[in-house]
Amino acid sequence: MPDGLPHEVHAAAYRVVQEALTNVRRHACDATELTVGLVYDGRALKVTVRDEGRGGSRLPQAALGGGFGLVGLTERVTALGGELRTGPRSGGRGWEVRAILPTKTAS
């Protein structure tokens, strides 16, 4: 990650990746490929996590945590003025989590 980003942006990016990886483990155990991308353009940090799983294999209910998942993540990202999008990838296979985290405040 680039130096000089606000601590809150670092923490939010970490949580986006952590939650996305947790969800792959819970909901797409059949995924054999996973991509994590970070792009910084000077104004925002863009975080992308993609898998190509079908979402058909799942952990037993007892192994699933009781966290706040994507709802909590959405709150964290939007509190920073960012945007979170999650959903199926184009082509019908896999899932994508995308977050845009502003790194500078509006003047």
Side-chain angles (χ1 to χ4, degrees):
M1 242 187 276
D3 292 330
L5 294 180
H7 170 73
E8 296 81 8
V9 172
H10 278 270
Y14 176 84
R15 286 293 297 131
V16 167
V17 173
Q18 184 180 42
E19 182 65 31
L21 294 178
T22 298
N23 285 343
V24 169
R25 182 174 166 262
R26 289 180 177 172
H27 305 293
C29 295
D30 64 329
T32 59
E33 184 176 314
L34 179 83
T35 305
V36 177
L38 299 171
V39 176
Y40 177 59
D41 67 6
R43 294 170 306 191
L45 180 65
K46 297 172 185 169
V47 181
T48 307
V49 181
R50 295 182 181 114
D51 71 70
E52 45 62 84
R54 287 183 287 238
S57 26
R58 299 174 185 262
L59 288 176
Q61 189 63 33
L64 300 177
F68 294 101
L70 294 176
V71 172
L73 197 57
T74 300
E75 290 174 359
R76 178 185 289 261
V77 169
T78 57
L80 295 174
E83 178 182 331
L84 181 73
R85 293 187 182 187
T86 63
R89 292 177 61 188
S90 61
R93 182 154 169 101
W95 191 263
E96 179 175 78
V97 174
R98 288 182 293 149
I100 300 174
L101 303 164
T103 57
K104 298 186 187 264
T105 58
S107 303

